[in-house]
Amino acid sequence: MPAIKKRKVERETHVDVGASDASSQNDESSETPAAPKSFRELGIIDSLCEACDTLGYKAPTPIQSESIPPALQGRDLIGLAETGSGKTAAFALPILQALMDKPQSLFGLVLAPTRELAYQTSLAFEALGSTINVRTAVIVGGMDMVPQSIALGKKPHIIVATPGRLLDHLENTKGFSLRNLKYLVMDEADRLLDMDFGPILDKILKVLPRERRTFLFSATLSSKVESLQRASLSNPQRISISSNKYQTVSTLQQYFLLRPHKHKDIYLVYLLNEFAGQSVIIFTRTVHETQRMAFLLRALGFGAIPLHGQLSQSARLGALGKFRSRSRNILVATDVAARGLDIPSVDLVLNYDLPTDSKTYIHRVGRTARAGKSGVAISFTSQYDFEILKRVEGALGKELPEYDAPKDEAMVMAERVGEAQRQAIMEMKNFDEKRGSRGKQFGRGKHSREEMDREEG
Ligand SMILES: Nc1ncnc2c1ncn2[C@@H]1O[C@H](COP(=O)(O)OP(=O)(O)OP(=O)(O)O)[C@@H](O)[C@H]1O
């Protein structure tokens, strides 16, 4: 078993390789030496190679090829690679290997911006670490604290957490400390390092040992020094697997659809009929809109299920489970589903509302066309948000083609959609009343911070 040796490096190193994805794993760039062909050649031990084999990982993806060797040498990493390009295994494998070398409880901490992503990442660690019996604990908001305290008491090797709840345990759970932590990962690091999470993160970082390795990963990571400094990296190696900061994968076909705001529901139904039977995620900007749309689509006979931050955590996991298992083929979601979720069957991402920030656009459309598969993303654009489309195109560095949705074919559905809209409004009223009595009525109209649904505990 190779020992993990620390190597002192004087300056940040930059590795840039051409745009690529999990399908083009063996692409070789003229700027970099030939990529090693196997996980074994990267220095991964046999038992972990076996796990990769079982998962069907035939060869490392580019971000894995570039990240694993320096990580095994004890470097801090900043990893930038497209959505669906295998970043999870890029940080999980070196941590599992280091854990094998010096087994210890509370060895690694992975921070994630959403609860669903935390669950998914913990499953990835368990799958990759199955041959070495790795124990993980998921510490997220919306779930009972007591079972989590018990899970922490059982001394897991790896904790996967959302920041708010982790801090809660660090402050209130007797006997729990991360004093001996060896690895910290910030997955979706740009989101974790932004203003919303910043103060919580600072408090967590204060109680972590400075003598640790730190990995920052995302598909959209700017090199803003202030926010990266927050993570207190030590001589990080920066690995960037794309030529453009805001790259989407080549297997993704992206379109916009410019229609009047008042006809959006009609064209939405037209598109869902066009993609009938396929697996679709519809993103909206607010909790209210997500819930309304789920009612609307159900009234029209579609198998739609909502996912947003004002549902109980068990309802959220239930919704995701049904969508994953394809017992429902349409997930209507706020941006709680925008980052990290890996559901290989997703064929189409529909942006019912364009997100105001281009990074969110990249993450949303990245829920399809993962690991070399193809996918389609269509973004509704109305008279009100044409400017946003132009901004997104600016960030992507290309213009998007318009999707062909003939007016006469779509408008025949106007009457039925109108009926379903009225039904959805009634159902929303009942829904709001029920929740209102529990003090949880959705606001309407303005996009308040709570409504935008980006917070996680
Ligand atoms: N070497 C590999 N060969 C084949 N498939 C792989 C390999 N590594 C990872 N995968 C698969 O690719 C998919 C995407 O991986 P992952 O979720 O880690 O992507 P990501 O880069 O973190 O995406 P995002 O930026 O959206 O979070 C997963 O289903 C994973 O199992």
Side-chain angles (χ1 to χ4, degrees), residues 110-237:
V110 182
L111 291 174
T114 69
R115 299 167 188 171
E116 287 75 13
L117 179 55
Y119 281 104
Q120 180 184 292
T121 303
S122 132
L123 289 177
F125 265 90
E126 282 171 7
L128 288 165
S130 60
T131 53
I132 61 172
N133 286 328
V134 69
R135 287 195 312 275
T136 69
V138 179
I139 303 296
V140 294
M143 302 299 274
D144 201 335
M145 289 277 285
V146 177
Q148 291 181 353
S149 304
I150 294 171
L152 291 174
K154 289 186 181 158
K155 306 286 179 211
H157 300 114
I158 308 289
I159 297 175
V160 190
T162 49
R165 180 56 67 90
L166 179 76
L167 183 62
D168 212 346
H169 280 286
L170 283 167
E171 290 176 345
N172 301 309
T173 299
K174 274 208 187 98
F176 171 53
S177 130
L178 290 173
R179 212 176 302 127
N180 295 318
L181 189 82
K182 297 291 181 283
Y183 282 83
L184 168 68
V185 180
M186 291 189 207
D187 195 10
E188 310 294 343
D190 52 329
R191 174 75 185 108
L192 289 172
L193 291 166
D194 77 16
M195 295 300 285
D196 294 335
F197 284 110
I200 300 176
L201 212 63
D202 288 345
K203 286 189 189 162
I204 293 173
L205 288 166
K206 248 190 215 147
V207 299
L208 301 186
R210 286 194 76 81
E211 262 307 296
R212 60 156 204 268
R213 298 279 55 86
T214 304
F215 299 159
L216 265 50
F217 277 84
S218 183
T220 50
L221 199 53
S222 70
S223 41
K224 258 197 243 152
V225 181
E226 323 84 73
S227 61
L228 294 183
Q229 264 171 356
R230 177 168 255 156
S232 37
L233 296 148
S234 127
N235 294 318
Q237 176 151 343

Side-chain angles (χ1 to χ4, degrees), residues 25 57 59 64 83-88 188 340 342 367 370-371:
Q25 292 156 11
Y57 298 0
Q64 293 162 359
T83 51
S85 60
K87 293 188 285 295
T88 315
E188 310 294 343
D342 182 52
R367 293 320 96 210
R370 299 178 68 75

Side-chain angles (χ1 to χ4, degrees), residues 434-453:
K434 266 194 217 149
R435 294 186 69 88
S437 62
R438 283 181 271 146
K440 284 212 169 181
Q441 186 164 7
F442 296 150
R444 235 167 289 174
K446 267 184 264 135
H447 296 155
S448 67
R449 220 164 93 133
E450 188 186 21
E451 268 229 299
M452 297 290 281
D453 203 28

Side-chain angles (χ1 to χ4, degrees), residues 345-357:
S345 59
V346 177
D347 304 296
L348 172 67
V349 168
L350 279 174
N351 282 320
Y352 183 79
D353 288 308
L354 266 173
T356 47
D357 121 63

